[in-house]
Amino acid sequence: MTPVRTSVLPPYGAVRPGRAPGREPYPEVPASLRRPPVDLELIIPAFNEEGRLPGTLAATVAFLAARPWSSAVVVVDNNSSDATGDVVGRFPHPRVPLYAIGCGDRGKGAAVRRGLLTSTARFVGFEDADQATPIGTLDPVMALLTAGHTAVIASRQTAGARYETEQPLLRRCGGLLFRRLARRALPGVADTQCGFKFFDGPLVRASAAGCRIDGFAFDVELLARLVERGGDIVEVPVAWTDMPGSTFSARRDGLHSMADLVRLSHAR
């Protein structure tokens, strides 16, 4: 685990300097869109994930139901053209609350931001729909969050991590270039793109409210804004598996993400 900056949080419910009691810093989100508070809310951004999402939801709900924290799962349908939006309805009596919400703006970053800003959970984060990161990673993640860390992210590049199944060569080469660019905006973080990240709820909502990137470089912008607000990032090593069926296009999404990183680096 690689801490970037350590900042001990006040107890949950305490008022941070400059914040009025009981107020969240995203007034643009109507109260009717915010879900009931829980200890942990897990967001799954989904674009055309009708095939992979049912297994991911089943595994995630089973895991969370066996944990002592109150929790909920939120699927953010990112303008899918398949039946992704209907998958949650196939779980009529889940042991953990399941929500399905929409996001008309295209891009994983837009979908994650929508989920974060409509959450009221003490801790909130997201996982990819493909289960590339084992859901059991949540146990050490929650231990670190409750200990006072503000961002705990899965990492394929930190000590102790390993690839169960490697990505194709083109994705690996693109990932290497992306990491080099990302370090300009966010030095000290080895892997900004593993799709398993969890946060202190109030702080990440304040950070996400100012984010503008809708694509895959959103993670870098969000983490950088969180650090600017005094947060810290801890990387947790994972055994990661490259899953078939990704909607990520190395040519289209990779080039767009790198352009976003260049703009982000110049803006800082």
Side-chain angles (χ1 to χ4, degrees), residues 22-239:
R23 297 188 63 187
E24 287 281 6
Y26 49 106
E28 72 280 6
V29 178
S32 61
L33 296 181
R34 299 177 194 163
R35 295 171 294 279
V38 289
D39 293 327
L40 172 68
E41 194 164 77
L42 191 152
I43 296 162
I44 304 177
F47 173 66
N48 291 344
E49 291 287 1
E50 177 186 7
R52 300 191 296 185
L53 189 56
T56 298
L57 285 178
T60 300
V61 166
F63 178 86
L64 291 175
R67 294 304 179 273
W69 341 297
S70 62
S71 57
V73 179
V74 182
V75 174
V76 184
D77 182 4
N78 195 205
N79 247 352
S80 299
S81 58
D82 66 0
T84 292
D86 300 328
V87 171
V88 169
R90 301 174 194 168
F91 294 78
H93 303 290
R95 290 177 288 169
V96 169
L98 280 179
Y99 300 92
I101 64 175
C103 178
D105 295 327
R106 291 290 294 271
K108 178 183 175 181
V112 172
R113 185 166 60 244
R114 175 77 166 176
L116 294 176
L117 293 181
T118 53
S119 173
T120 62
R122 177 182 182 182
F123 304 120
V124 60
F126 60 93
E127 70 167 340
D128 286 343
D130 60 5
Q131 299 185 82
T133 300
I135 187 63
T137 308
L138 262 179
D139 280 336
V141 165
M142 283 294 283
L144 288 162
L145 287 173
T146 55
H149 295 285
T150 53
V152 184
I153 66 176
S155 176
R156 299 159 294 186
Q157 303 297 324
T158 197
R162 69 180 187 275
Y163 283 85
E164 298 287 2
T165 304
E166 281 274 15
Q167 293 177 309
L169 180 60
L170 180 61
R171 288 286 300 274
R172 296 202 302 271
C173 292
L176 178 61
L177 178 57
F178 189 96
R179 287 194 297 275
R180 289 179 176 175
L181 290 173
R183 286 179 187 135
R184 297 181 182 179
L186 196 64
V189 178
D191 185 3
T192 62
Q193 298 311 111
C194 190
F196 199 91
K197 296 180 173 71
F198 292 84
F199 311 93
D200 168 74
L203 185 58
V204 78
R205 286 187 281 272
S207 303
C211 289
R212 296 294 176 263
I213 294 175
D214 288 342
F216 287 91
F218 168 81
D219 304 60
V220 180
E221 182 184 26
L222 178 64
L223 292 171
R225 288 184 180 275
L226 188 144
V227 169
E228 284 180 348
R229 288 178 172 271
D232 72 298
I233 302 169
V234 179
E235 296 188 74
V236 175
V238 293

